[in-house]
Amino acid sequence: MCAHVLVAEDDEMQAELIRRSLLSEGHTATVVHDGSAALDAARRLRPDLVVLDLMLPVIDGFGVCRVLRRDDDIPVLMLTARSAEDDVLLGLELGADDYMTKPYSPRELMARIRTVLRRSGRADGRREDPVIRAAGIAVDPERHEVRCDGAAVECTPAEFEILLAMVAEPERVFSRRQLLERTRGTDRASTERAVDVHIMNLRRKIEADPRSPARLLTVFGVGYKLSGGRG
């Protein structure tokens, strides 16, 4: 059983613990730290499961779950530090498939995730092709693989997350801060300046001439975009 799990948790240490546990189980993971980013990632990546903390900034977990249930059928496992019965019931009424109260053991969380995935049928081989393609680049979030013009490309975790975001939305201009957010959970020490280094390294890997890029373009004063369209 292999799945792509979106982890929405504002506590970076907890998010990293969940991410590492998921990877050890053979899953892939995308980590975000606020509710707005969670909704954006869910729409872009269509994960198999969302692990959703209730106490998220910007939009709380209840709001995220409400939108997910209105727009999609992605399974949701809620995490809450609240033990009040009303909070748990509200989460379930909004459509959460399961919940866990903090503190919890990583082993129990992984067991709950396996149960939700099995029940939803999201990781049993019946899904559509998960590979995202644009500008001659193919990114497989489940196998954590990248190919450019058919050739395998080795990427660091931070490079992979940046490329995954840009391939999912070709021609969109991403600011350095937006790209930095994509690397949280893979490179917590990263800075906006480090994003420039990741882009430079990616150009060496996907551009015929890194000094004159045709795919990964700089939009001066704003950030970067992937040019080339779908396919």
Side-chain angles (χ1 to χ4, degrees), residues 8-231:
E9 166 64 77
D10 66 328
D11 185 316
E12 293 191 10
M13 290 184 64
Q14 286 290 323
E16 177 65 6
L17 178 62
I18 297 170
R19 188 186 74 85
R20 289 180 181 274
S21 297
L22 287 165
L23 295 180
S24 71
E25 293 273 317
H27 303 302
T28 59
T30 298
V31 175
V32 296
H33 301 293
D34 67 65
S36 177
L39 289 174
D40 178 60
R43 291 174 180 130
R44 287 187 297 106
L45 304 177
R46 296 188 57 81
D48 298 298
L49 172 72
V50 179
V51 176
L52 179 65
D53 181 38
L54 282 182
M55 302 299 290
L56 291 173
V58 186
I59 303 173
D60 67 17
F62 293 123
V64 173
C65 190
R66 186 178 290 110
V67 174
L68 288 176
R69 278 294 165 267
R70 184 189 67 203
D71 297 344
D72 212 327
D73 61 349
I74 301 171
V76 174
L77 192 158
M78 279 190 163
L79 304 177
T80 177
R82 302 171 172 178
S83 58
E85 183 180 15
D86 287 348
D87 289 332
V88 172
L89 291 176
L90 177 57
L92 295 175
E93 287 172 1
L94 287 173
D97 295 83
D98 201 355
Y99 73 93
M100 291 190 69
T101 55
K102 300 178 180 180
Y104 53 81
S105 77
R107 288 183 63 187
E108 182 182 0
L109 177 60
M110 293 303 109
R112 295 285 193 93
I113 287 173
R114 286 195 297 271
T115 297
V116 173
L117 288 170
R118 189 178 301 113
R119 196 163 58 217
S120 68
R122 283 277 180 147
D124 62 0
R126 292 182 292 176
R127 295 180 64 233
E128 296 178 357
D129 181 6
V131 178
I132 304 169
R133 299 176 175 85
I137 300 167
V139 180
D140 188 335
E142 291 188 354
R143 294 182 173 84
H144 212 272
E145 294 176 349
V146 175
R147 304 188 79 84
C148 181
D149 296 331
V153 177
E154 294 294 328
C155 292
T156 68
E159 291 167 2
F160 183 88
E161 293 298 335
I162 288 172
L163 199 55
L164 177 61
M166 299 183 85
V167 170
E169 297 185 77
E171 304 298 341
R172 173 183 169 178
V173 179
F174 289 86
S175 69
R176 289 173 177 83
R177 180 164 295 278
Q178 287 171 328
L179 292 175
L180 177 62
E181 180 64 29
R182 300 307 197 279
T183 71
R184 294 286 167 80
T186 64
D187 186 2
R188 286 183 293 149
S190 189
T191 64
E192 288 189 36
R193 176 58 183 159
V195 170
D196 295 334
V197 176
H198 294 318
I199 293 293
M200 180 177 65
N201 289 336
L202 280 169
R203 282 174 172 161
R204 292 193 183 110
K205 297 173 181 182
I206 67 172
E207 297 284 1
D209 181 358
R211 292 171 297 180
S212 182
R215 288 183 169 111
L216 198 46
L217 306 182
T218 299
V219 179
F220 291 101
V222 183
Y224 300 100
K225 73 173 182 177
L226 183 71
S227 183
R230 292 287 182 190

